[in-house]
Amino acid sequence: MRVLSVLWIISLFISTAAIAQEVDSEDAVVKINDKVIKEKEVAAETSKRLAAQAQQMPPGMEINDWMRNQIRKSVVDMMVEQVLVEQKLSEKKIKIEDEAVTKEIEQIAANQNLKMEDVPAEIARFGMTMDDLKSQVRMRMQIETLIDNEMKDKDVKEDEIKTFYEENPQYFERPEQVRAAHVLIMTQGKNDEEKAAAQTKIQEVLQKAKAGADFATLAKEYSEDPGSKDNGGEYTFPRGQMVPEFEQAAFSLEDGQVSDIVETQYGYHVIKKLAHLEAKKQTLDEVKDQIKDHLTRQKRSRFWENYVETMREEADIEFSQAEQKRREQADQPPVIPQQAVPQG
């Protein structure tokens, strides 16, 4: 039984469905209307995805041919959809000017608390260049414009909002929360001398806060928390979201009260409690705009899925014989043999 089990594991990861012939990089994989996708394009993207998949697999396991065909099929489907979208955008004459793309990227950077000059290094961590980013942003903006032009029923009605609110009460139960602001002086990764300097700095902040200085101004000037300093150091949070020392201090303060120095794994904090928010169910009026935004995104997403499916149905899509064989193999997962049951 053990031998059979080992043999099955070995056989599962041995290539069983490889296409033997050599493949020319210029061979056509699929033709979409008048556009041909070649082997070199598919192979390059498939290789990247296979490498990423291999890094996630447990030691000793390898990608078998079925998995390889599955990944290749998803790559080809993605490329087919991209061509269909590009053809539709060309047909509808939808273009986005470079200036609009740049403005959108600037807004994305601002939302991430990034300066534009920092964006290239940030996206490089994901293997992207600025040209890649501009291309993706342009495509997204074009698709949004296409949806706006083609989607007839865009509006979310009042009764839809009310129905969602009534049928999903779990989304609108707000737990007990605290609205608080803080100034953080980091100590993480610092030596003793640097920590002593950080303590001197937080004591200065504490003295100014206790003397009645505007706390938001102190946060903007002193805080080293990039996630909150530009917002006056402010957070609103329930129990269980912050590190214990920070949470305990914030919840124990009175509204308007400033804490003493609080030390956490990140460094030294001075916290000001702005308000205590009791647990409650949010009213329909309070969440109406959020529900509308959610239902609008949901409606647009469904429209786009159906729109892409219609494009596929109306298009002339022709796979090569070799690619059609791979796709059939991808649709047939390998049969896992039953282990033999030992006799008496």
Side-chain angles (χ1 to χ4, degrees):
M1 181 176 175
R2 179 176 176 81
V3 172
L4 286 173
S5 177
V6 171
L7 289 175
W8 170 72
I9 292 172
I10 293 173
S11 67
L12 182 61
F13 296 104
I14 290 179
S15 178
T16 57
I19 296 176
Q21 72 269 25
E22 290 291 326
V23 179
D24 191 318
S25 66
E26 295 296 324
D27 282 352
V29 172
V30 57
K31 183 178 179 183
I32 310 100
N33 298 321
D34 59 349
K35 170 70 175 179
V36 174
I37 296 177
K38 296 182 178 181
E39 175 62 32
K40 61 184 178 184
E41 302 169 77
V42 175
E45 182 61 27
T46 302
S47 294
K48 287 196 292 186
R49 296 200 185 188
L50 286 169
Q53 179 67 32
Q55 290 181 343
Q56 299 175 25
M57 298 184 71
M61 294 183 68
E62 297 178 358
I63 296 175
N64 59 28
D65 281 339
W66 176 72
M67 295 168 66
R68 188 174 291 107
N69 286 330
Q70 280 272 303
I71 291 172
R72 182 183 171 101
K73 182 181 178 184
S74 70
V75 166
V76 173
D77 286 344
M78 178 270 293
M79 289 183 165
V80 168
E81 181 174 321
Q82 184 174 353
V83 169
L84 289 172
V85 172
E86 289 172 348
Q87 290 176 344
K88 181 62 69 174
L89 292 172
S90 177
E91 174 193 332
K92 299 292 182 178
K93 297 181 170 56
I94 296 176
K95 296 182 179 180
I96 304 294
E97 299 298 329
D98 291 346
E99 184 179 347
V101 173
T102 300
K103 188 174 180 179
E104 181 69 10
I105 292 174
E106 288 173 349
Q107 184 59 56
I108 293 170
N111 292 342
Q112 299 295 321
N113 292 318
L114 290 173
K115 297 177 182 178
M116 275 297 287
E117 55 264 32
D118 297 329
V119 172
E122 182 68 21
I123 63 176
R125 299 192 299 116
F126 305 98
M128 291 178 63
T129 65
M130 283 299 291
D131 285 342
D132 294 331
L133 179 60
K134 288 177 181 178
S135 177
Q136 289 186 15
V137 169
R138 189 188 306 276
M139 176 65 75
R140 179 174 62 79
M141 294 175 73
Q142 287 177 304
I143 290 173
E144 291 295 336
T145 303
L146 178 60
I147 293 173
D148 287 337
N149 294 348
E150 298 290 300
M151 186 176 177
K152 306 304 179 187
D153 181 22
K154 292 192 280 281
D155 296 332
V156 174
K157 300 176 178 61
E158 292 293 323
D159 61 333
E160 293 178 289
I161 296 172
K162 184 178 179 181
T163 298
F164 185 88
Y165 177 78
E166 292 173 346
E167 292 182 352
N168 298 277
Q170 70 276 16
Y171 296 142
F172 311 111
E173 295 291 347
R174 190 185 72 190
E176 177 191 24
Q177 293 181 323
V178 159
R179 188 164 68 87
H182 82 134
V183 173
L184 166 65
I185 306 299
M186 296 282 288
T187 59
Q188 216 172 27
K190 293 184 176 180
N191 58 36
D192 291 343
E193 184 178 347
E194 291 169 329
K195 287 180 181 179
Q199 190 167 45
T200 299
K201 196 171 184 180
I202 198 68
Q203 285 171 344
E204 179 184 345
V205 172
L206 178 61
Q207 289 173 1
K208 291 184 177 183
K210 294 283 190 180
D214 181 71
F215 202 89
T217 301
L218 290 175
K220 290 176 182 178
E221 181 179 353
Y222 289 97
S223 186
E224 296 173 0
D225 174 14
S228 70
K229 67 172 297 179
D230 292 335
N231 190 37
E234 187 173 325
Y235 286 111
T236 299
F237 53 93
R239 294 184 187 275
Q241 185 170 303
M242 300 297 194
V243 291
E245 303 90 345
F246 189 98
E247 176 188 299
Q248 183 178 354
F251 272 89
S252 64
L253 293 170
E254 299 293 330
D255 288 1
Q257 184 181 1
V258 175
S259 74
D260 291 324
I261 296 170
V262 177
E263 185 175 1
T264 72
Q265 66 198 63
Y266 301 106
Y268 300 121
H269 309 252
V270 170
I271 305 168
K272 181 175 182 178
K273 184 174 180 179
L274 303 175
H276 190 92
L277 308 175
E278 297 292 346
K280 58 169 280 192
K281 181 178 180 180
Q282 295 172 287
T283 66
L284 177 57
D285 284 342
E286 288 176 320
V287 296
K288 188 175 182 179
D289 290 343
Q290 297 173 36
I291 296 174
K292 185 176 182 179
D293 287 345
H294 169 74
L295 293 179
T296 298
R297 289 194 300 271
Q298 194 176 68
K299 183 174 282 194
R300 289 171 73 88
S301 178
R302 282 199 298 264
F303 171 83
W304 182 245
E305 288 176 7
N306 293 333
Y307 195 85
V308 171
E309 186 58 34
T310 299
M311 285 195 294
R312 283 182 177 276
E313 291 170 356
E314 293 176 351
D316 181 12
I317 301 174
E318 183 179 350
F319 295 99
S320 68
Q321 289 186 347
E323 192 61 30
Q324 186 59 46
K325 183 175 181 180
R326 289 192 185 94
R327 294 175 73 81
E328 291 169 0
Q329 291 169 341
D331 290 335
Q332 299 174 358
V335 177
I336 300 175
Q338 293 183 349
Q339 295 180 355
V341 178
Q343 302 297 317

